[in-house]
Amino acid sequence: MNNNHLLPTSASLDQEFQRLQFAISSSEDGIWEYDLVKNTTYVSKRWLEIIGYDENEYHSSVDAWKKLLHPDDREQAFNVLYSSIANKVDHAQTVYRVRHKNGDWLWIKDRAKILFDASGEPLRIAGFRTDITKQMQLESQNRELATIVQNATIEVYIVDVENLNYLYANDGALKALNYTLQELQTLSITDINPELAPEQINLLQQYLNTISPVVTNISRHQRKDGSLYPVQASVHKLSYQGRPAYVIFATDITQLSLVQEQLRHLATHDSLTELPNRILFNDRLEMAIKKNSRESKKVAVLFIDLDHFKQINDSFGHPTGDKLLVLVALKLKSLLRECDTIARMGGDEFNILIDGISDVQVLVDISEKLLNAFKDPFSINGHLLYTTLSIGISLSPDDGTSAEVLIKNADTAMYRAKNEGRNAYRFYATEMGNKAYERVVMENALRLALKENQFCVYYQPQVDMHLNTWVGMEALVRWVHPTLGVISPASFIPLCEEMGLIQEIDFFVLENVIKQHILWKENGLTAPKTAVNFSAKTLNNHLVAREVEAIMRFYQCHSECIAIEVTESQIMKNPKEAIEILSEFKKLGLEISVDDFGTGYSSLSYLKRLPIDKLKIDQSFIRDIPLDEDDMTITKTIIGLAHNLKLNVIAEGVENREQQTFLIENGCSLGQGYYFDQPLDVDSVTQKLQLMKSYVI
Ligand code: C2E
Ligand code: CA
Ligand code: CA
């Protein structure tokens, strides 16, 4: 520093200046001084460094400084200084540009101190000049960036990390959501992302706090009008106004999603029918297999092939064939639930995926429904085209646990349906499937049997073993199937009960027995009292007795002709109701027997109150007499019980002399069983009656 330039006006000033000198020697600022009294100037070395000059190149005069000033700033820089002097203010501050030796413009902040004498005349001005070029550039850059962000079409949000409220949103965001900034600032992230669950938000925050400062996420934003649109967002943890904040850059991906969706649709759907194709079907099937195995449910594949499609194609042409396929697809869709996947696997093959199955019966029902629906023809271009279906069914896990195997096995089953005459469905192999199938075949056959009168009644004699006389009969229904022959009731009665057909059958037997008694009577034969089996399902209301009464009155049937058998277990299911209903029958004068006695855990107290006449010892206790001691004890007990309750007792299933002897010896003289007679058809009974005309009721 050149001390010769510093000419103190007084000792105190000199001292002050020295201190100042010391203070600024280490400063980054350049200093200058103008002594108005002496008209001398000074600039520090640092100032020269700032503007890029050597000491000998630069004159410290006011003029030299003035020359460096940017023309636009010159006036303003002087004005500030002059107005401070004029106003007797002891300081002034201004910002202006000066030219560096290399031609660049530098931004300078100049702070001056003005010393006045007692009369207010300026004596001296000294100041600091700071190069603020970098700062100015930064500020300008910041302003530019802020404008860029504000105007960007991408959505930019700044969110408070604490309460997730919006602090800032750019024009792109406000326009996309249709909110004003003020409105948005009253909302939080959850208002705009209604589909983001609190757990998801937590997870995102944890991720941002611990793993990565940036997270990308796809979600849907909700506009002010409530509509949603998909966005891809990246969330950054940055600082905003000195505090940590989440900065979110979001892009509306509606268009992208649409294109992706279209591409996905094209890749996974059949272009003709718009149904899912093989790829999507396999995918959904694999998923369903996994999901259902967790829930212990079954998944089924119905492999459908149109019967004679090739002929239709050949005779009417491919466009007609295509139309038919479209109509078939629509029909299948209309017959199934929204959640069932129907796919076109190619050609005239369709696959259906049904999951969540706990009873395979539903598959039988669905298959029947499909077959039925295809009985009607399709009308295309004035032609009525008939096409039936062949359906093969496989089930997971029974027939396979992969999509590939299930489809293959359903295909195999479909071929079986085709080979066995088409317009049919077949299960691949499962026991269960076959049972369900058999059941429905049986159900259909039973309905037909009722319609076509395929039932008839057999009669099994009941005898007094002691007196060797014929005392009664039991009417047992038979199903005379046109091709299978006589079918035992044991195999169809339970199904009839489930199907709600049993009442019809029981009444058929009752009426048949009454009519037969009339016929026998007309032929001069007197048949013994005949017991008719009534299922509990038949006896389920009070009107039954009224109906029986009406039939008896219609045929003028005497109550001595018929009796009723109800099983012990059925009575004991609801003994109170049984007492009431059986009492109605009792009022009609009908004898009531408790069938299969010993198997139904009778309560003695109810037994006493039941309006019954006879216990029928179940054949299972008679079967092993005289070998099984327990059975003999039980039989004796039942006989004793009947005697105590003053009831008649009859043993069923008597097959040999030993059983007969044991029963007679123990006080049971009535018996029914193969030892005496099998159940007989009407002709056999008629012959027997003719032979034994002497047997009276
Ligand atoms: P149930 O009422 O216990 O009928 C007796 C069954 O035992 C009859 O079988 C009869 O043929 C058979 N049986 C008779 N004697 C002997 C014998 O010595 N040894 C053996 N092992 N069996 C003998 P079925 O005719 O096959 O009838 C089976 C069941 O079907 C009947 O058992 C009854 O519960 C039911 N049922 C038959 N007809 C009707 C009906 O019209 N209505 C209702 N609801 N059920 C009926
Ligand atoms: Ca019976
Ligand atoms: Ca029985």
Side-chain angles (χ1 to χ4, degrees):
M1 190 174 292
N2 188 348
N3 282 329
N4 296 336
H5 292 283
L6 302 174
L7 297 172
T9 54
S10 68
S12 65
L13 254 181
D14 192 40
Q15 257 184 1
E16 190 187 333
F17 190 74
Q18 299 253 333
R19 274 201 298 277
L20 199 61
Q21 274 270 299
F22 179 72
I24 63 173
S25 61
S26 58
S27 158
E28 277 296 296
D29 299 334
I31 65 158
W32 59 277
E33 193 211 17
Y34 176 29
D35 188 329
L36 288 97
V37 179
K38 290 187 185 146
N39 196 23
T40 56
T41 54
Y42 160 80
V43 290
S44 72
K45 207 170 158 190
R46 173 71 192 129
W47 171 244
L48 297 177
E49 272 170 27
I50 289 172
I51 55 177
Y53 287 91
D54 284 340
E55 275 175 74
N56 49 10
E57 286 176 316
Y58 181 79
H59 196 266
S60 64
S61 70
V62 174
D63 270 352
W65 170 67
K66 201 168 167 180
K67 265 192 207 148
L68 293 182
L69 282 177
H70 193 287
D72 293 352
D73 300 345
R74 206 171 283 152
E75 200 181 323
Q76 177 262 150
F78 275 92
N79 281 348
V80 169
L81 202 57
Y82 289 149
S83 73
S84 284
I85 294 171
N87 296 322
K88 313 252 181 297
V89 178
D90 70 347
H91 63 270
Q93 179 173 313
T94 175
V95 171
Y96 50 76
R97 279 163 289 180
V98 294
R99 192 187 281 280
H100 189 274
K101 188 182 167 191
N102 66 13
D104 289 348
W105 291 105
L106 303 178
W107 279 100
I108 302 296
K109 185 177 186 179
D110 202 335
R111 284 147 295 157
K113 188 101 178 129
I114 308 160
L115 198 71
F116 296 93
D117 66 8
S119 63
E121 280 303 308
L123 295 174
R124 213 167 150 189
I125 314 172
F128 300 83
R129 289 177 185 150
T130 317
D131 179 0
I132 57 164
T133 312
K134 283 225 171 69
Q135 192 186 326
M136 289 298 273
Q137 278 170 346
L138 212 62
E139 273 174 25
S140 136
Q141 198 183 14
N142 279 350
R143 270 195 308 278
E144 283 160 9
L145 284 176
T147 314
I148 291 169
V149 168
Q150 184 67 29
N151 289 290
T153 45
I154 185 172
E155 299 166 35
V156 182
Y157 304 89
I158 300 175
V159 173
D160 190 319
V161 290
E162 297 296 331
N163 54 21
L164 301 181
N165 284 345
Y166 288 99
L167 301 171
Y168 165 85
N170 74 343
D171 290 350
L174 298 173
K175 208 169 138 205
L177 299 173
N178 202 20
Y179 279 117
T180 63
L181 183 60
Q182 286 71 24
E183 285 171 334
L184 195 68
Q185 279 169 337
T186 63
L187 302 176
S188 94
I189 269 201
T190 46
D191 298 308
I192 300 301
N193 298 270
E195 293 172 339
L196 271 186
E199 308 84 67
Q200 270 175 293
I201 295 178
N202 264 339
L203 208 71
L204 278 175
Q205 283 184 285
Q206 273 176 25
Y207 198 85
L208 282 166
N209 288 336
T210 53
I211 299 172
S212 158
V214 190
V215 184
T216 52
N217 181 48
I218 289 186
S219 67
R220 293 209 295 168
H221 277 180
Q222 188 166 40
R223 298 188 186 93
K224 191 176 175 180
D225 65 7
S227 58
L228 293 161
Y229 64 99
V231 291
Q232 175 158 31
S234 67
V235 188
H236 302 244
K237 194 166 179 189
L238 297 170
S239 110
Y240 178 69
Q241 294 179 339
R243 288 173 54 199
Y246 296 129
V247 179
I248 301 164
F249 300 97
T251 319
D252 181 342
I253 52 168
T254 306
Q255 287 308 320
L256 186 71
S257 306
L258 280 177
V259 173
Q260 277 175 343
E261 178 53 34
Q262 277 164 2
L263 285 175
R264 212 184 55 80
H265 188 87
L266 278 176
T268 54
H269 287 76
D270 165 46
S271 56
L272 177 67
T273 59
E274 283 295 316
L275 290 178
N277 65 10
R278 180 185 294 273
I279 297 171
L280 185 55
F281 186 82
N282 276 16
D283 225 46
R284 292 206 184 151
L285 182 55
E286 288 290 1
M287 262 160 47
I289 292 169
K290 282 200 196 96
K291 179 172 162 271
N292 283 258
S293 85
R294 282 196 299 272
E295 294 165 3
S296 304
K297 295 263 171 73
K298 291 181 191 299
V299 177
V301 172
L302 271 66
F303 199 113
I304 295 179
D305 190 282
L306 303 185
D307 297 329
H308 307 298
F309 179 71
K310 199 178 163 309
Q311 274 139 276
I312 293 176
N313 237 354
D314 291 348
S315 337
F316 297 93
H318 284 262
T320 303
D322 281 357
K323 272 189 195 147
L324 178 63
L325 290 173
V326 172
L327 292 181
V328 165
L330 285 175
K331 187 159 220 169
L332 289 175
K333 258 182 162 172
S334 73
L335 293 166
L336 292 153
R337 298 172 306 176
E338 192 79 16
C339 57
D340 302 324
T341 299
I342 310 159
R344 180 171 172 226
M345 306 298 271
D348 60 342
E349 289 174 351
F350 296 86
N351 270 10
I352 298 171
L353 160 61
I354 293 165
D355 72 339
I357 301 168
S358 34
D359 180 1
V360 285
Q361 183 62 35
V362 299
L363 298 172
V364 170
D365 296 343
I366 291 172
S367 305
E368 291 280 326
K369 186 163 131 187
L370 294 177
L371 293 186
N372 266 328
F374 278 75
K375 278 187 183 144
D376 299 330
F378 292 92
S379 164
I380 299 170
N381 301 341
H383 301 292
L384 285 183
L385 301 180
Y386 285 87
T387 183
T388 50
L389 309 177
S390 290
I391 309 173
I393 307 166
S394 66
L395 277 162
S396 173
D398 314 72
D399 302 333
T401 50
S402 74
E404 196 193 334
V405 174
L406 276 187
I407 295 172
K408 195 182 97 219
N409 289 343
D411 192 11
T412 308
M414 184 275 291
Y415 270 100
R416 205 175 305 145
K418 273 228 186 287
N419 290 336
E420 292 174 19
R422 299 165 206 266
N423 189 21
Y425 60 93
R426 292 290 178 269
F427 282 87
Y428 174 63
T430 57
E431 179 71 1
M432 188 182 35
N434 289 333
K435 273 199 189 129
Y437 170 68
E438 279 164 16
R439 186 191 147 125
V440 79
V441 169
M442 186 91 153
E443 276 186 18
N444 288 341
L446 271 171
R447 287 210 169 86
L448 191 74
L450 266 172
K451 218 159 79 187
E452 297 191 348
N453 270 327
Q454 293 174 7
F455 293 104
C456 74
V457 180
Y458 273 41
Y459 296 84
Q460 187 175 32
Q462 297 172 332
V463 297
D464 184 321
M465 301 181 282
H466 198 54
L467 302 172
N468 206 16
T469 52
W470 188 4
V471 292
M473 295 195 283
E474 178 178 6
L476 295 159
V477 71
R478 292 290 178 268
W479 177 8
V480 189
H481 191 275
T483 51
L484 300 174
V486 177
I487 301 175
S488 151
S491 59
F492 66 85
I493 291 288
L495 188 58
C496 288
E497 288 183 332
E498 265 180 56
M499 289 169 65
L501 293 179
I502 193 65
Q503 189 162 3
E504 218 172 312
I505 290 186
D506 286 349
F507 272 94
F508 162 82
V509 172
L510 175 75
E511 206 168 335
N512 211 277
V513 167
I514 293 174
K515 286 200 273 191
Q516 191 55 55
H517 268 256
I518 294 169
L519 277 176
W520 279 321
K521 207 170 179 181
E522 282 171 4
N523 288 314
L525 301 168
T526 314
K529 176 182 287 199
T530 304
V532 175
N533 289 285
F534 263 29
S535 154
K537 290 250 162 70
T538 302
L539 294 175
N540 67 355
N541 69 59
H542 295 269
L543 293 176
V544 179
R546 299 280 77 79
E547 274 182 61
V548 171
E549 187 184 13
I551 292 172
M552 286 171 64
R553 196 171 290 159
F554 180 81
Y555 289 105
Q556 296 184 326
C557 167
H558 197 271
S559 61
E560 279 300 305
C561 290
I562 47 172
I564 302 285
E565 280 189 19
V566 191
T567 64
E568 182 191 22
S569 55
Q570 289 182 332
I571 291 175
M572 287 307 154
K573 263 185 211 153
N574 193 347
K576 274 191 195 153
E577 200 181 62
I579 290 173
E580 284 178 27
I581 293 178
L582 291 179
S583 302
E584 310 250 340
F585 279 90
K586 197 77 224 147
K587 279 186 212 148
L588 300 178
L590 296 176
E591 183 195 275
I592 299 168
S593 300
V594 182
D595 204 354
D596 301 346
F597 193 82
T599 58
Y601 308 105
S602 275
S603 131
L604 207 58
S605 61
Y606 277 120
L607 207 54
K608 272 201 224 156
R609 287 159 54 197
L610 279 167
I612 51 172
D613 304 285
K614 202 190 255 180
L615 299 185
K616 255 189 120 169
I617 307 171
D618 188 67
Q619 49 183 285
S620 62
F621 303 116
I622 309 301
R623 191 177 301 133
D624 294 328
I625 293 174
L627 298 173
D628 191 310
E629 288 290 336
D630 289 345
D631 283 351
M632 294 198 286
T633 310
I634 293 170
T635 304
K636 278 196 257 182
T637 310
I638 296 175
I639 298 169
L641 181 72
H643 288 164
N644 271 331
L645 292 171
K646 305 208 165 32
L647 298 173
N648 289 327
V649 61
I650 179 168
E652 64 180 353
V654 182
E655 292 184 350
N656 55 48
R657 179 192 285 272
E658 286 82 2
Q659 291 165 347
Q660 172 179 257
T661 311
F662 173 84
L663 288 163
I664 294 173
E665 277 173 3
N666 286 284
C668 172
S669 58
L670 302 181
Q672 175 184 345
Y674 296 166
Y675 183 53
F676 314 109
D677 271 304
Q678 298 259 340
L680 307 168
D681 61 18
V682 172
D683 288 347
S684 308
V685 179
T686 307
Q687 278 173 22
K688 225 173 150 59
L689 286 173
Q690 279 163 346
L691 277 172
M692 308 166 89
K693 255 192 174 173
S694 51
Y695 287 95
V696 249
I697 306 166

